[in-house]
Amino acid sequence: LADGRTGLQIKERIEIEIRAGEDGQLREEPDIQVARGFRDLCVERSVQPQHAGCDATGTGRGVFAFLSVLWSPEVLRFEAASSPSSTLVLDGDPKPACELYLNKVTESWVFVASLVRSGQLKGLPQAAKVEFTTRTFHDKLVRGLRRLEDKDDFKDRYGHSPDDADAVAGLGEVGKARLGLELVGQAASTSATT
């Protein structure tokens, strides 16, 4: 960014379609089609595998497995239910994510919100904006930690999964893990003085 901070700029949103033959039958498993499509889109844009990531939760496990074989094992594996990191993700709070949130997906969603507020994330697609602002937190804390509502509860209310927001959250994780992206705002300056 102009002020020397690192940020993310989203330039395009691409949906990978599962294709069937003229007879309506799949010629290749959906996970393989998504893995090939993702790899090909990255290669076309000169994205190196170490700068790409894949959600390996639920049905994403298969896609990640095929990406590892068809492209590279260097693709970042993101698991929503895994433990949060020790990085700062909430602007204005010097506590690391592992002291605030139950799982990685909650950490990653809060990190994206903080990046937007700090001006370090631009180009957020409209569908992702809607999903980020409508998925709620559970009222009850688990072991004193906050967590996002279950994806199934979101789907019940809105009729679809929050896939666009999840994709942006994954982008934030790639930025943190592979490109050194840090939240540079009040939280970062607070931690430097304590």
Side-chain angles (χ1 to χ4, degrees):
L1 302 173
D3 61 9
R5 296 178 301 157
T6 301
L8 296 172
Q9 171 69 52
I10 299 173
K11 294 184 177 181
E12 59 186 328
R13 176 194 178 278
I14 302 171
E15 203 166 304
I16 300 171
E17 294 183 31
I18 306 300
R19 299 183 186 269
E22 289 182 23
D23 60 359
Q25 299 296 311
L26 290 175
R27 299 288 180 248
E28 197 170 47
E29 288 298 317
D31 290 353
I32 296 173
Q33 289 187 47
V34 172
R36 283 187 201 281
F38 181 76
R39 176 202 61 195
D40 294 348
L41 288 164
C42 287
V43 170
E44 288 169 14
R45 287 157 180 77
S46 300
V47 175
Q48 299 298 311
Q50 66 270 21
H51 296 149
C54 178
D55 186 351
T57 308
T59 58
R61 281 188 199 112
V63 174
F64 179 80
F66 285 117
L67 266 176
S68 295
V69 173
L70 296 172
W71 191 21
S72 172
E74 291 185 58
V75 173
L76 179 73
R77 179 186 183 109
F78 173 76
E79 293 189 53
S82 65
S83 297
S85 72
S86 60
T87 60
L88 302 175
V89 296
L90 180 61
D91 193 23
D93 195 326
K95 292 180 185 172
C98 59
E99 292 180 19
L100 298 169
Y101 308 112
L102 183 66
N103 52 31
K104 192 70 169 173
V105 70
T106 305
E107 172 189 354
S108 65
W109 276 53
V110 171
F111 183 61
V112 166
S114 294
L115 288 174
V116 169
R117 282 192 296 277
S118 72
Q120 290 177 260
L121 176 61
K122 305 288 186 182
L124 195 62
Q126 184 61 30
K129 287 178 187 178
V130 170
E131 292 166 4
F132 275 119
T133 57
T134 54
R135 192 171 181 186
T136 61
F137 284 93
H138 276 281
D139 292 333
K140 285 184 162 183
L141 298 180
V142 176
R143 297 186 311 273
L145 303 171
R146 295 188 78 192
R147 67 182 171 119
L148 283 173
E149 73 174 320
D150 297 327
K151 194 178 275 196
D152 287 340
D153 293 338
F154 182 94
K155 287 182 199 176
D156 288 345
R157 271 203 328 279
Y158 297 103
H160 65 89
S161 180
D163 294 334
D164 285 273
D166 280 343
V168 174
L171 176 65
E173 289 302 314
V174 171
K176 270 197 308 186
R178 300 291 172 82
L179 303 171
L181 178 64
E182 296 179 299
L183 177 63
V184 180
Q186 188 176 351
S189 61
T190 301
S191 68
T193 60
T194 56

